Each structure stands twice: as C-alpha cells, then as structure tokens.
Amino acid sequence: MYNYRILIQYDGGRFDGWQRLGKDASENTVEFKIKEILKKMTGEEAELFCGCRTEKGVHAYGQVANFKLNSRQNCMELRNYLNRYLPRDIAVLKVEAVDERFHSQLLAKETTYLYRIDTKSIASVFERKYSYHTFHPLDYEAMNKAAAYFLGKHDFKAFTTARKSKSTEREIKNITISCDESGIVQLRITANDFLHNMARLMIGILLDVGTGLKKPENVRDILDGKDVQMSLPAESYGLFLEEVRY
C-alpha cells in the first residue's frame, strides 16, 4: 500500500472536533470531511490517523495526518483535489509520500498547543472568534509560577474528561507565556502527548491563577491528588494545535 502524510490547517469553529465516535458519533468532523473527498477522488475508504485529536471548536495551524491507499497518487494532484473540494475552513498545506511504517499518531514525539488571550480593555471584534477575552489584568508572575508545577512527568487524571484511559501520565516539556504589543497573550504548552481536554483544563487553571481566583500552589496540590476544586476548561475557540513533531 501507499502511505501519504498530509499537513492540515483548519478553523474548528463549526466542527465537532477532529473525530467523534461512539454514542456521540458525528459526520461534522474534520476527519470525515477529508475522508469524504479522498473517497470521491480515489474510490477508496481510507483510514485517517492524526498526530493529535483536537476537540470540538479547537483550531489547528499544523495538524499532521496520514492515510494509506491501494493506488499510487500524485502528491500535488492529491493536495489540489483536496483543497478544491474541501470546505474553505480546512486547507491541506502539504502532501507527501512516506514510508509505509509512518504513523502520525504512534510516532509523534511532541505536541504544542497555543492559547490566545485578548487582554485589551475592549475586545477586538476581529479577534473574538480566535482568542479568549479577559476583563481582568493577568498576573504573569503567578501564572509562570503555577506553570512551573506542570513541568515534568505527572499523573494528569484530574486534567482530563476521558472516561477511560490506559495511562494518565504525561510529560510537560515546556510552557511559555508572552504578550505582544497588541495586547494578545500567547500561552504555549508542549507535551509528549495530551489527554482529552487536558490542554483546556490546564489553561483554565492558569487563567484562574492569573486573575487571582486560584493560587499557583493549587496546581501542585491537584497533581498530588489533593481535594482542590478544579477550574473550568478554557474556551475552545482560543485554542490552536500549533505543531506536532516527530
């Protein structure tokens, strides 16, 4: 079989995530839209794997996926066909033929999520769909102190809504918080992998620390299994899958 790797951008605002299975199964997913066009072009039911499954409403700058076909395809023609027939809020940036053993999910080493926060006194009408607006000034020193507790390997069972998972241990490689001149804060988290809703729950408590609703030490206490009330997950529309590295 022929294995193809694709790099994808998408606006997740109207989709039910990358994939939705089980009792919540939905065809309104990024995965389904791509598979539908592949079948139209090749006549094959391709199984699509991705680097990191994004949740409902979450966007992607650099999602990686792969699929196998029985027929050899021209990569440029594949890319052009996909972009011609996919909805305009999904774009395939690159298509390449790869080794048959490449698997975008199993071989991923690191994933980075970006969260955008609008801190201006008046929310930008042009940023509102892609950044969370806060009316409260953020305490960056406290947020960085809280972020430091996340670094390294921990059991993140409190930071996921997954009903079942073989292991909830994950390693956080890096967290950075920066603010540009326009007042947009960029919060980046890099991990070896993310559990379902893990990024949003982590960002939710960091935002609460930044506004004074939580203390930085609350992060440590939750990771240690202490009985501390969790923060609500951050709004999905400010979250972007930035990069998957192999």
Side-chain angles (χ1 to χ4, degrees), residues 110-235:
E110 289 183 354
T111 300
T112 298
Y113 271 106
L114 164 68
Y115 199 74
R116 303 178 78 252
I117 308 162
D118 185 353
T119 62
K120 296 187 290 294
S121 57
I122 300 173
S124 168
V125 296
F126 302 108
E127 296 283 352
R128 63 187 174 85
K129 293 182 179 179
Y130 306 104
S131 59
Y132 170 76
H133 181 259
T134 176
F135 291 96
H136 306 283
L138 296 175
D139 184 339
Y140 299 114
E141 183 178 352
M143 291 176 73
N144 279 302
K145 184 176 180 182
Y149 289 117
F150 279 123
L151 298 176
K153 290 183 179 180
H154 302 281
D155 187 341
F156 283 88
K157 62 183 177 183
F159 289 90
T160 180
T161 54
R163 297 180 182 88
K164 295 180 181 180
S165 184
K166 291 181 180 180
S167 172
T168 50
E169 183 180 279
R170 296 294 186 271
E171 181 180 3
I172 304 300
K173 305 290 187 70
N174 194 30
I175 301 179
T176 61
I177 304 169
S178 61
C179 185
D180 62 26
E181 294 179 357
S182 70
I184 297 293
V185 173
Q186 298 195 10
L187 194 165
R188 284 183 173 84
I189 304 176
T190 300
N192 66 337
D193 191 18
F194 286 87
L195 297 163
H196 187 260
N197 272 327
M198 176 175 154
R200 291 176 59 207
L201 284 164
M202 290 175 66
I203 295 162
I205 196 169
L206 290 175
L207 284 170
D208 280 354
V209 169
T211 57
L213 293 175
K214 296 283 188 185
K215 297 179 180 179
E217 292 76 21
N218 288 151
V219 171
R220 177 196 61 200
D221 294 340
I222 293 171
L223 290 171
D224 288 344
K226 295 183 180 178
D227 187 16
V228 178
Q229 184 175 3
M230 286 292 296
S231 298
L232 294 173
E235 297 286 356

Side-chain angles (χ1 to χ4, degrees), residues 12-66:
R14 71 180 184 91
F15 294 111
D16 294 328
W18 170 263
Q19 181 186 60
R20 188 61 64 93
L21 301 173
K23 67 176 184 178
D24 297 323
S26 170
E27 293 184 353
N28 185 36
T29 63
V30 178
E31 179 206 42
F32 182 84
K33 300 299 181 185
I34 296 173
K35 289 173 65 174
E36 192 175 40
I37 304 305
L38 284 173
K39 183 179 179 180
K40 181 178 179 180
M41 179 182 181
T42 67
E44 297 187 42
E45 291 273 5
E47 187 172 6
L48 207 59
F49 302 98
C50 74
C52 188
R53 284 183 289 181
T54 53
E55 293 131 25
K56 183 176 181 177
V58 178
H59 318 292
Y61 285 123
Q63 175 70 278
V64 177
N66 76 287

